[in-house]
Amino acid sequence: MNKIFIYSSIDGQTLKICQKLQGKFDNSQIRNLDNMKEGELKNFDQIIIGAAVRYGDHNKKIYDFIKKNKAILEIKKTVFFSVNATARKEDKNDPLTNPYIQKFLKKTNWKPNKINVFAGRINFPEYGFIDKYIIKLIMWITNGPTDTTKSHEFTNWEMVEEFSKEIESF
């Protein structure tokens, strides 16, 4: 079964998660959402899409991609996962309780076969002045880390590993 991993990443964490997932499969590719070509999805049996959240929403391009390709996504085996800092919280690290997953599914009206959510990474040293301090404020409000001198990784790599087994089994 050939698979494609499509990602929409902001700081690279979604790509890292895709790479970890994809490492288990021989007949697979990873592709940035921006490099997908019209009609290309028909060449794959399984489509895995990962998208990051920034400032409360997924990239607009992911919504456009789902809308444009919904017909083929509905007949293929599909997986969607979201990467967001909110998932660092125990009560928000499940697709049923993560507000960004719920918002995404409602907005797209798409029902992937498998859904998951992973906590991302806050990489303060890489951010510009405005992003750094807006994200610091959000972290302060939500009881997250506010030390802007370092990167804070929240991804549970064991959870990612377990999810790769789920993808493999269907």
Side-chain angles (χ1 to χ4, degrees):
M1 181 177 294
N2 59 346
K3 299 171 181 9
I4 186 164
F5 291 80
I6 302 166
Y7 68 92
S8 173
S9 197
I10 299 166
D11 298 324
Q13 195 71 357
T14 306
L15 172 59
K16 280 175 61 176
I17 292 169
C18 274
Q19 289 169 330
K20 179 76 170 171
L21 293 169
Q22 190 253 354
K24 303 286 181 187
F25 306 103
D26 293 330
N27 198 13
S28 64
Q29 301 178 29
I30 294 181
R31 196 83 60 71
N32 186 313
L33 175 69
D34 294 334
N35 298 329
M36 292 300 297
K37 294 178 177 58
E38 179 90 27
E40 195 171 13
L41 292 181
K42 70 177 185 255
N43 300 323
F44 298 94
D45 301 310
Q46 196 174 48
I47 301 162
I48 299 98
I49 301 172
V53 170
R54 174 67 56 92
Y55 300 133
D57 212 350
H58 293 92
N59 184 332
K60 181 187 178 318
K61 290 180 183 178
I62 197 74
Y63 291 107
D64 295 340
F65 180 81
I66 300 299
K67 183 178 180 179
K68 187 175 184 180
N69 293 286
K70 194 165 180 199
I72 195 149
L73 291 170
E74 289 179 345
I75 61 170
K76 298 282 185 169
K77 290 185 175 186
T78 57
V79 174
F80 176 75
F81 68 89
S82 177
V83 179
N84 58 75
T86 300
R88 76 186 187 282
K89 297 181 174 192
E90 197 171 309
D91 64 335
K92 305 280 191 241
N93 68 359
D94 183 277
L96 296 174
T97 61
N98 187 272
Y100 302 117
I101 287 277
Q102 294 305 309
K103 179 179 173 183
F104 178 84
L105 295 173
K106 186 175 184 178
K107 194 170 179 179
T108 61
N109 197 29
W110 173 45
K111 294 178 178 48
N113 299 104
K114 294 204 174 287
I115 304 167
N116 213 332
V117 60
F118 301 109
R121 171 179 66 145
I122 302 295
N123 195 7
F124 283 117
E126 298 277 322
Y127 300 153
F129 180 82
I130 293 172
D131 281 336
K132 183 179 290 189
Y133 289 98
I134 290 174
I135 294 170
K136 180 179 180 175
L137 175 63
I138 293 167
M139 287 293 107
W140 179 77
I141 290 168
T142 63
N143 297 315
T146 56
D147 182 350
T148 60
T149 65
K150 60 184 179 180
S151 180
H152 305 273
E153 184 162 333
F154 307 111
T155 306
N156 179 334
W157 292 103
E158 288 175 18
M159 217 171 117
V160 173
E161 179 74 25
E162 286 301 312
F163 194 56
S164 73
K165 293 173 186 170
E166 284 184 45
I167 293 171
E168 185 176 32
S169 69
F170 97 103

